[in-house]
Amino acid sequence: MNISADRVKELREWTGAGMMDCNKARTETGGDMDKAVDHLRKIGAAVAAKKEGRATKDGLVYAYIHPGGRLGVLVEVACETDFVARTADFQNFVKDIAMHIAASSPIAVRREDVPADVVEKEKEIFAAQAEASGKPPAVREKMVAGRVEKFFQEQVLLEQPFIRDPKLRVQDLVTAMVAKVGENIGVRRFARFGLGEG
Amino acid sequence: MNISADRVKELREWTGAGMMDCNKARTETGGDMDKAVDHLRKIGAAVAAKKEGRATKDGLVYAYIHPGGRLGVLVEVACETDFVARTADFQNFVKDIAMHIAASSPIAVRREDVPADVVEKEKEIFAAQAEASGKPPAVREKMVAGRVEKFFQEQVLLEQPFIRDPKLRVQDLVTAMVAKVGENIGVRRFARFGLGEG
């Protein structure tokens, strides 16, 4: 029960959900932590949906350099106003994103940003593997689709499990921050340089 | 004469040329600062040429974020050993390069890194301008070649005039650092994010 309370507190900090929402989530879900998390996520998502499409003209360009200077990340995260960009909440969020990119090495921000030839190459490999299985075509097709889905979830920033809490995807973090600061927020672009990897 | 001495000292710091070389350069060039600079540059270039092609497996990934967090640069600069990468000389050099990139916004490290379609587009614009001049074809051709050359010198990192001393190109700075630390050095890649410019 202590663990649950801590987790709810943690999530409350991320989602900015009120104490009442949190208590309600805990009561309604009978203390089931996963369900409570889902519930709070939905509250965040509902708030975030309302902010979608709003112009993000401000934000931060931030860099994380791993100690030793052999790995670095540059990231641009957009929000609507300078006011939010200067808050500690937003700045910590941007730092988390940069450190996540350093650790998890995504290949793009969104699925649609992955170059078509990269996706094609992966599909070919998966198709060859499926063919080797000797299963019927319909099954093989599903195998390939499943592997492509997994590839995106592992390689695309917003779909990756967040390093500091793998139960959340990075997109959940973005959604939570939108709900918390009340502005539309977007990870625009990043660069990740590992020494000698370029 | 004081100014000359200061300039030679400054160049001596950059090139790592010895006091004897500097005195010689000043005597031989009769105090003509430009010629002395050229002379010292040649000394540096001769040393650097010997290091060319040597493997650069070490180096630094460094970031410069402009105050306010609306502009950031990530750069990878390679050298041969960890020993050099950890020296203040190399680290200050890398900082200078990053700040130069922030200020001068190059589009690529080298000429050959500029995408072919970008060069083509520029050539078309220059050709149209030349045609509008009404000059004969041979002259127009030279006009276009001259403009393309200027385009590279303005847009390519290693050919740009160094912000802190426009008499030097960034390549001169690299050459000087090679001569100074005695290792091959190369600017591998950079990313420059201006808020909302992506």
Side-chain angles (χ1 to χ4, degrees):
Chain A
M1 203 59 188
N2 260 336
I3 296 165
S4 293
D6 281 352
R7 285 276 302 159
V8 169
K9 184 170 170 276
E10 198 181 352
L11 213 84
R12 207 168 79 85
E13 279 170 9
W14 280 340
T15 60
M19 195 55 101
M20 274 181 63
D21 282 333
C22 289
N23 279 334
K24 208 176 155 196
R26 284 215 286 170
T27 315
E28 281 183 6
T29 55
D32 182 325
M33 199 52 212
D34 286 341
K35 281 185 189 166
V37 167
D38 275 348
H39 188 86
L40 288 174
R41 247 189 219 172
K42 277 173 202 159
I43 293 172
V47 177
K50 285 184 203 160
K51 311 288 177 187
E52 238 181 65
R54 277 164 58 163
T56 49
K57 282 186 262 184
D58 224 283
L60 275 184
V61 175
Y62 177 82
Y64 168 73
I65 300 289
H66 197 66
R70 303 175 79 88
L71 172 65
V73 168
L74 187 68
V75 66
E76 179 186 358
V77 184
C79 61
E80 296 176 28
T81 65
D82 185 34
F83 173 77
V84 161
R86 277 181 288 142
T87 59
D89 276 343
F90 186 77
Q91 292 182 355
N92 288 334
F93 165 74
V94 173
K95 273 181 203 173
D96 276 348
I97 297 285
M99 291 195 69
H100 173 93
I101 293 166
S104 299
S105 196
I107 57 177
V109 176
R110 284 162 225 83
R111 255 178 214 233
E112 49 274 35
D113 302 331
V114 181
D117 58 327
V118 172
V119 179
E120 266 324 299
K121 209 179 148 195
E122 291 296 324
K123 273 188 189 165
E124 273 169 32
I125 295 166
F126 298 152
Q129 288 171 343
E131 191 146 339
S133 73
K135 300 249 165 76
V139 178
R140 297 207 304 247
E141 214 166 279
K142 272 190 188 166
M143 284 170 72
V144 172
R147 292 290 300 273
V148 170
E149 185 63 26
K150 196 163 171 258
F151 168 77
F152 281 130
Q153 287 172 7
E154 286 171 355
Q155 304 292 332
V156 165
L157 172 63
L158 294 179
E159 306 191 25
Q160 286 180 328
F162 177 45
I163 39 155
R164 288 181 52 195
D165 188 344
K167 274 195 174 184
L168 298 171
R169 298 190 176 250
V170 173
Q171 177 61 59
D172 294 327
L173 219 68
V174 175
T175 302
M177 194 48 52
V178 173
K180 190 169 188 179
V181 304
E183 284 195 2
N184 190 13
I185 283 171
V187 181
R188 277 238 182 87
R189 50 181 171 163
F190 69 85
R192 182 188 182 279
F193 292 176
L195 193 67
E197 286 173 9
Chain B
M1 202 59 189
N2 260 336
I3 295 166
S4 293
D6 281 352
R7 286 276 302 159
V8 170
K9 183 168 171 274
E10 197 181 352
L11 214 84
R12 207 167 79 84
E13 278 170 10
W14 280 340
T15 60
M19 195 54 103
M20 275 182 62
D21 282 332
C22 289
N23 279 334
K24 210 175 153 195
R26 283 215 286 169
T27 316
E28 281 184 5
T29 55
D32 182 324
M33 199 51 213
D34 285 342
K35 282 186 188 166
V37 167
D38 275 349
H39 189 86
L40 289 174
R41 249 190 218 173
K42 277 173 202 158
I43 294 173
V47 178
K50 285 185 203 159
K51 310 289 178 186
E52 238 182 66
R54 277 164 57 164
T56 49
K57 283 186 263 184
D58 224 283
L60 273 185
V61 175
Y62 177 81
Y64 168 72
I65 299 290
H66 196 67
R70 303 174 80 87
L71 172 65
V73 168
L74 187 68
V75 67
E76 180 186 358
V77 184
C79 60
E80 296 178 29
T81 65
D82 184 36
F83 174 76
V84 161
R86 277 179 288 141
T87 59
D89 275 343
F90 185 77
Q91 292 182 356
N92 288 334
F93 165 74
V94 173
K95 273 180 205 174
D96 276 348
I97 297 285
M99 290 193 72
H100 173 93
I101 293 166
S104 299
S105 196
I107 57 176
V109 176
R110 283 162 224 83
R111 245 173 223 239
E112 49 274 35
D113 303 330
V114 181
D117 58 327
V118 172
V119 179
E120 266 324 299
K121 209 179 146 194
E122 291 297 324
K123 274 188 190 167
E124 273 169 32
I125 295 166
F126 298 152
Q129 288 170 343
E131 190 146 339
S133 73
K135 299 249 166 76
V139 177
R140 296 205 305 247
E141 215 167 279
K142 272 189 188 165
M143 285 171 72
V144 172
R147 293 290 302 272
V148 169
E149 186 62 26
K150 197 162 172 258
F151 168 76
F152 280 131
Q153 287 173 6
E154 287 171 354
Q155 303 292 332
V156 165
L157 172 64
L158 294 179
E159 306 191 25
Q160 285 179 328
F162 177 44
I163 38 156
R164 289 182 51 195
D165 188 344
K167 275 196 174 183
L168 297 170
R169 297 192 176 248
V170 174
Q171 178 61 60
D172 294 327
L173 217 69
V174 176
T175 303
M177 194 47 51
V178 173
K180 190 168 189 180
V181 303
E183 284 196 3
N184 189 12
I185 283 171
V187 181
R188 277 238 182 86
R189 51 181 170 163
F190 68 85
R192 182 188 182 279
F193 292 176
L195 194 66
E197 286 173 8

